[in-house]
């Protein structure tokens, strides 16, 4: 089957292995709903594979900047812009390791990153798709029965249907 089909991931040829790992490393970016810690773990795992196939060592400061570039723009765009401007204009020095960059990013909380995280949370998505959980336009707090009438408590506290 190897003679007739391309099987790139199981190749024993070092140049094809380097190409596959390089492509994986270069395309590693933070997903919209991914946490910073989970992304760091995934990034470091891909980086370790990438470093195994490279002949020359990679500068830790360059890897730290690549980690920053791979962060989700929706949540970390302002952080990235502020850090680049601080490095370019002073007084900040570029982080020298992925861990330093991670700590800086973890300490950065903006309104945009907070709202992006909240708007993508499962609870927020559920509430957005199902309303506030009380069902329809029901300002009195009762629930509508199958016949369109509102079930609620009467004056004496018993269940009563009203139109």
């Amino acid at each position: 089957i190897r003679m007739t089909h391309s099987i790139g991931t199981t190749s024993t040829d070092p140049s094809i292995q380097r190409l596959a790992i390089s492509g994986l490393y270069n395309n590693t970016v933070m997903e919209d709903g991914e946490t910073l810690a989970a992304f760091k773990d995934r990034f470091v795992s891909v980086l370790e594979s990438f470093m195994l196939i490279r002949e020359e060592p990679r500068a830790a400061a360059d890897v730290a900047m690549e980690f920053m570039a791979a962060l989700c723009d929706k949540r970390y765009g302002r952080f990235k812009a502020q850090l680049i401007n601080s490095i370019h204009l002073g007084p900040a020095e570029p982080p020298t390791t992925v861990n330093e960059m991670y700590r800086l990013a973890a300490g950065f909380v903006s309104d945009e990153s907070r709202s992006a995280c909240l708007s993508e949370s499962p609870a927020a998505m559920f509430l957005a798709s199902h309303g506030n959980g009380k069902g329809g336009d029901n300002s009195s707090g009762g629930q509508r029965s199958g016949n369109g009438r509102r079930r609620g408590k009467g004056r004496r506290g018993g269940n009563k249907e009203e139109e």
Side-chain angles (χ1 to χ4, degrees):
I1 203 162
R2 289 183 191 269
M3 306 262 309
T4 58
H5 293 79
S6 173
I7 306 172
T9 57
T10 59
S11 176
T12 57
D13 183 74
S15 62
I16 293 174
Q17 290 176 340
R18 282 191 298 274
L19 177 66
I21 295 294
S22 294
L24 180 62
Y25 177 74
N26 292 331
N27 292 317
T28 300
V29 293
M30 184 180 213
E31 303 295 328
D32 282 344
E34 189 173 24
T35 65
L36 182 61
F39 173 65
K40 178 185 175 265
D41 290 343
R42 188 167 60 88
F43 182 88
V44 168
S45 176
V46 172
L47 174 66
E48 288 169 352
S49 296
F50 181 66
M51 296 303 281
L52 288 174
I53 58 135
R54 293 196 46 102
E55 283 140 20
E56 69 275 355
R58 194 129 181 90
D62 291 343
V63 173
M65 294 304 281
E66 290 163 355
F67 176 79
M68 180 206 62
L71 293 174
C72 174
D73 284 335
K74 189 187 303 182
R75 290 182 281 161
Y76 293 97
R78 182 180 282 174
F79 163 74
K80 292 157 76 170
Q82 286 177 352
L83 181 61
I84 289 170
N85 286 338
S86 294
I87 293 168
H88 180 67
L89 301 172
E93 292 291 320
T96 57
T97 66
V98 170
N99 284 333
E100 282 183 41
M101 185 65 76
Y102 170 80
R103 282 193 295 273
L104 285 174
F108 180 81
V109 179
S110 70
D111 293 336
E112 290 86 10
S113 66
R114 189 178 303 118
S115 66
C117 291
L118 291 176
S119 68
E120 294 168 0
S121 73
M125 285 189 225
F126 175 81
L127 289 176
S129 66
H130 292 87
N132 61 6
K134 293 182 181 173
D137 181 27
N138 190 357
S139 56
S140 68
Q143 296 177 347
R144 292 198 184 271
S145 65
N147 62 8
R149 295 181 180 184
R150 193 174 287 159
R151 287 183 308 196
K153 296 201 177 212
R155 283 190 284 202
R156 288 185 272 164
N159 284 340
K160 174 182 167 182
E161 288 196 52
E162 42 183 279
E163 304 224 55

